[in-house]
Amino acid sequence: MHVDLLKDIILTNIFSYLSLHDLRNSSLVCKRWYRLLNDEDNDVWRLHCIRRLAEEVLSSDLLSSTPTYKAKLKAFYHAWNPEDCSRNIYIKPNGFTIHRNPVAQSTDAVRGKIGFSQGRHAWEVMWEGPLGTVAVVGIATKEASLQTHGYIALLGSDEQSWGWNLVDNHLLHNGDSQGNYPMLNNAPKYQVGERIRVILDCDDNTLAFERNYEFLGVAFRGLPEKLLYPSVSAVYGHTEVSMVYLGPPLDG
């Protein structure tokens, strides 16, 4: 076996046990280590995925929009936060999907693990169960409520959250409707299973959406310069919602 190849195999095994923080530091040591760690689909990232991600999610099409092992791992670290959701919601073993328990007269929400205040970010949301009377996708600060009595559009009900109600195509913020969205005549309603792409531009302070790879336009402008988290709120019992972080959006 060629000596350089043997060195890469040994390095790969060592790197597969390091934390992400240590991997970032390791990539700065020398060109060889940078080259090895800059390959987002090699065995370093594959082994990290195998150790951290559920086998069912790696073999499913849920992560089909994340083409490399490193991208899948990044999506996992940005997924729904089991410590930051309503008591009526739990995160399924796959790590990416919430399940809302059938609790009457309650609206329940969840936030992602990581919030954003700089740069441009995109993630996909898939509603994999009935929408019910209210199903809202958008963003929230840490101050936004995650549970309330009754069936309401919780996301968008205060000044700490912004949402798009997929049931009636209304934009919501501070408890008020901000108009119809998208701005189309007879805009089609969301179909269960469709992928909604959320695009947060912290540099331009805007929030926009795509559906089926069609850009629907800017939904909100003038967002505050504070940490903003992916979020959804739901009312229907046993409904499930997945979220997959994609990274910076691709223009065009």
Side-chain angles (χ1 to χ4, degrees):
M1 182 178 291
H2 195 279
V3 173
D4 285 343
L5 178 58
L6 181 60
K7 288 180 180 178
D8 281 354
I9 293 174
I10 294 172
L11 282 173
T12 294
N13 278 283
I14 294 173
F15 287 154
S16 70
Y17 287 96
L18 298 184
S19 68
L20 295 185
H21 176 75
D22 288 338
L23 288 175
R24 282 193 292 269
N25 290 338
S26 297
S27 69
L28 303 176
V29 171
C30 63
K31 290 182 178 179
R32 184 188 191 91
W33 289 18
Y34 174 81
R35 174 185 57 79
L36 188 61
L37 293 172
N38 199 46
D39 179 354
E40 296 193 358
D41 212 29
N42 65 14
D43 280 348
V44 173
W45 303 111
R46 182 181 66 83
L47 292 170
H48 273 278
C49 280
I50 289 174
R51 292 195 178 104
R52 288 166 176 79
L53 274 65
E55 182 179 350
E56 65 173 282
V57 78
L58 286 174
S59 60
S60 73
D61 65 352
L62 179 60
L63 302 182
S64 60
S65 296
T66 54
T68 67
Y69 285 116
K70 186 177 181 179
K72 297 180 196 302
L73 192 67
K74 184 181 291 185
F76 172 74
Y77 282 108
H78 284 78
W80 297 129
N81 189 346
E83 305 300 325
D84 197 15
C85 60
S86 164
R87 63 181 181 273
N88 299 320
I89 283 175
Y90 68 86
I91 313 299
K92 296 184 68 176
N94 69 12
F96 293 88
T97 305
I98 64 165
H99 181 102
R100 182 189 177 274
N101 289 321
V103 178
Q105 292 299 316
S106 179
T107 303
D108 306 284
V110 60
R111 277 185 284 260
K113 295 174 184 172
I114 296 178
F116 312 107
S117 61
Q118 297 179 338
R120 302 171 69 226
H121 305 271
W123 58 92
E124 289 183 338
V125 174
M126 292 78 73
W127 220 281
E128 301 172 62
L131 300 181
T133 55
V134 184
V136 188
V137 55
I139 55 174
T141 69
K142 273 292 187 183
E143 289 75 36
S145 175
L146 294 176
Q147 193 275 331
T148 190
H149 179 74
Y151 302 129
I152 70 167
L154 178 57
L155 193 63
S157 66
D158 55 27
E159 63 180 4
Q160 302 297 327
S161 58
W162 298 257
W164 173 25
N165 185 1
L166 301 178
V167 176
D168 61 13
N169 279 343
H170 283 174
L171 294 176
L172 305 162
H173 174 60
N174 206 18
D176 295 321
S177 172
Q178 307 293 305
N180 293 331
Y181 183 87
M183 297 293 290
L184 301 170
N185 290 327
N186 299 316
K189 296 294 182 67
Y190 177 80
Q191 301 298 313
V192 171
E194 286 184 320
R195 290 179 181 244
I196 295 291
R197 186 164 295 186
V198 187
I199 303 169
L200 174 63
D201 190 333
C202 295
D203 299 328
D204 204 30
N205 304 109
T206 61
L207 183 70
F209 299 91
E210 290 181 4
R211 180 170 57 199
N212 297 329
Y213 305 104
E214 178 185 1
F215 184 68
L216 301 179
V218 173
F220 295 99
R221 300 181 186 275
L223 298 174
E225 295 183 357
K226 58 194 306 184
L227 282 176
L228 301 170
Y229 294 78
S231 185
V232 296
S233 66
V235 300
Y236 201 91
H238 294 305
T239 198
E240 297 185 341
V241 189
S242 298
M243 187 264 287
V244 178
Y245 179 76
L246 304 175
L250 298 176
D251 293 322

